Amino acid sequence: MKIHRVDKRQDSVQMRLSVLQKKCLPFDKPYDTTDGYWWIASQDGVDIGFAGLVHSSRWSDCCNLIRAGVLPDHRGQGIQKKFIRVRIRQAKALKMNWIVTSTYDNPASANSLIACGFKMFNPSVPWMAKHTSYWRLKLD
């Protein structure tokens, strides 16, 4: 399994990200992948997952982990944690101080965040649906 940062400006990459979002997160509205940084995981030449990172619209020294998914047949192999780690490296390269994200009724993602050092927090102005869990990581 390999994870590659992809060029979101390429139409073929946009299509791949769109297909992955629909397959991995069939009940969610697809996220606009024309902003930020994106990665695709592949195995034997087949796309099996994706993840994104964008600059925060709230804080200048912060990035947001956004949309990530792994095809059902490939879950439970640590791919989500690998996606989190590559996005942490990117945020550090961008000289960010923080990464934030949220989960909603997703214990597997919450456990991956915890394993990668994220802590829960209560934002002063929540930006997601009620009962969302918010997470942040202070970068060194």
Side-chain angles (χ1 to χ4, degrees), residues 25-44:
L25 307 168
F27 303 107
D28 290 358
K29 179 182 173 188
Y31 193 89
D32 177 9
T33 57
T34 59
D35 190 27
Y37 306 87
W38 291 89
W39 292 262
I40 291 178
S42 59
Q43 187 170 24
D44 300 323

Side-chain angles (χ1 to χ4, degrees), residues 80-81 84 103 106-118 135:
Q80 196 68 267
K81 289 181 196 111
I84 292 168
T103 57
N106 191 336
S109 288
N111 286 333
S112 292
L113 291 166
I114 292 166
C116 292
F118 281 75
W135 304 88

Side-chain angles (χ1 to χ4, degrees), residues 6-7 63 72 82 84 87 92 96 98 121 133 135 138:
V6 293
D7 184 349
C63 282
K82 290 177 183 178
I84 292 168
R87 293 182 287 172
K92 286 180 177 181
M96 295 291 114
W98 294 93
F121 79 107
S133 297
W135 304 88
K138 175 73 171 125

Side-chain angles (χ1 to χ4, degrees), residues 32-72:
D32 177 9
T33 57
T34 59
D35 190 27
Y37 306 87
W38 291 89
W39 292 262
I40 291 178
S42 59
Q43 187 170 24
D44 300 323
V46 177
D47 294 340
I48 61 170
F50 73 101
L53 177 79
V54 296
H55 290 280
S56 171
S57 61
R58 294 172 180 257
W59 302 288
S60 61
D61 64 343
C62 182
C63 282
N64 290 73
L65 298 184
I66 53 165
R67 289 297 164 145
V70 176
L71 292 175

Side-chain angles (χ1 to χ4, degrees), residues 64-125:
N64 290 73
L65 298 184
I66 53 165
R67 289 297 164 145
V70 176
L71 292 175
D73 289 348
H74 298 276
R75 292 178 184 159
Q77 300 174 27
I79 298 169
Q80 196 68 267
K81 289 181 196 111
K82 290 177 183 178
F83 275 135
I84 292 168
R85 290 182 189 114
V86 299
R87 293 182 287 172
I88 289 170
R89 284 193 296 274
Q90 180 67 47
K92 286 180 177 181
L94 295 168
K95 307 288 189 218
M96 295 291 114
N97 292 316
W98 294 93
I99 299 178
V100 297
T101 193
S102 61
T103 57
Y104 184 84
D105 194 28
N106 191 336
S109 288
N111 286 333
S112 292
L113 291 166
I114 292 166
C116 292
F118 281 75
K119 306 286 185 201
M120 289 183 81
F121 79 107
N122 291 315
S124 57
V125 180

